[in-house]
Amino acid sequence: MSAPFVILACGNPSRGDDALGPQLLARLDAWLRAEGLAESFALIEDFQFQIEHALDLEARRAALFIDAGTGTPAPFTLQPVLPDDTPGHSTHAIPPAAVLAVYRRVVGGEPPPAHVLCVRGERFELGTGLSPAAAAHLEAAWPSLRAFCHALLQSTADGGKA
């Protein structure tokens, strides 16, 4: 049986603030284990969201995508996302809305409810670490990420309306 919830984070840890997604996912993994909640969440990390991630949504009650963004209002946004079939310029990396649309085409049904947690980054140069601003944004996003996970679990306890 698969975990009811999936959290996908993308980013390159070698590219400065692009590491925000992987760092939040690593922190979440440690927290879920410490809280005894790890079995309810599948955690997936990659450099980019790709069409293959649509299959990671199968049999899930909800999904969360975590990424860093340069145009994101600081410190972060946490918003629902719907499938979007608008053709993009690349089939290599696609946004979460396109992953959901791929799910519709491949699996033939509606994807699970999904949200995007986008944390503002400032610097994405190769070989740099997190900027001080991005580190502060990560700290600001952390309580909301934990609260989001608790809300997902509560929705299951209340009848599974994630």
Side-chain angles (χ1 to χ4, degrees):
M1 185 171 156
S2 62
F5 308 109
V6 61
I7 299 179
L8 303 108
C10 76
N12 183 340
S14 297
R15 288 197 168 272
D17 295 349
D18 202 32
L20 283 165
Q23 287 199 10
L24 273 170
L25 197 69
R27 186 183 283 196
L28 182 63
D29 184 41
W31 178 75
L32 289 171
R33 290 178 191 280
E35 296 289 317
L37 304 173
E39 71 280 349
S40 295
F41 294 87
L43 305 180
I44 299 170
E45 178 184 332
D46 211 331
F47 280 177
Q48 301 168 326
F49 298 128
Q50 301 175 5
I51 59 173
E52 293 84 354
H53 290 124
L55 297 178
D56 295 319
L57 304 175
E58 281 192 281
R60 308 294 185 183
R61 299 178 81 113
L64 174 67
F65 296 86
I66 303 174
D67 198 1
T70 56
T72 303
F76 66 91
T77 60
L78 177 59
Q79 301 175 330
V81 61
L82 297 172
D84 185 352
D85 263 335
T86 303
H89 67 280
S90 171
T91 57
H92 184 63
I94 59 176
V99 173
L100 298 173
V102 169
Y103 179 93
R104 274 184 176 164
R105 288 192 306 268
V106 172
V107 177
E110 287 302 309
H115 285 73
V116 174
L117 173 62
C118 191
V119 183
R120 183 176 175 100
E122 305 291 338
R123 298 185 318 214
F124 293 81
E125 295 83 17
L126 187 61
T128 62
L130 278 186
S131 69
H137 299 161
L138 182 147
E139 293 303 326
W142 176 237
S144 293
L145 178 56
R146 287 188 323 228
F148 183 85
C149 291
H150 274 300
L152 289 176
L153 292 168
Q154 185 63 42
S155 71
T156 300
D158 291 344
K161 299 199 182 341

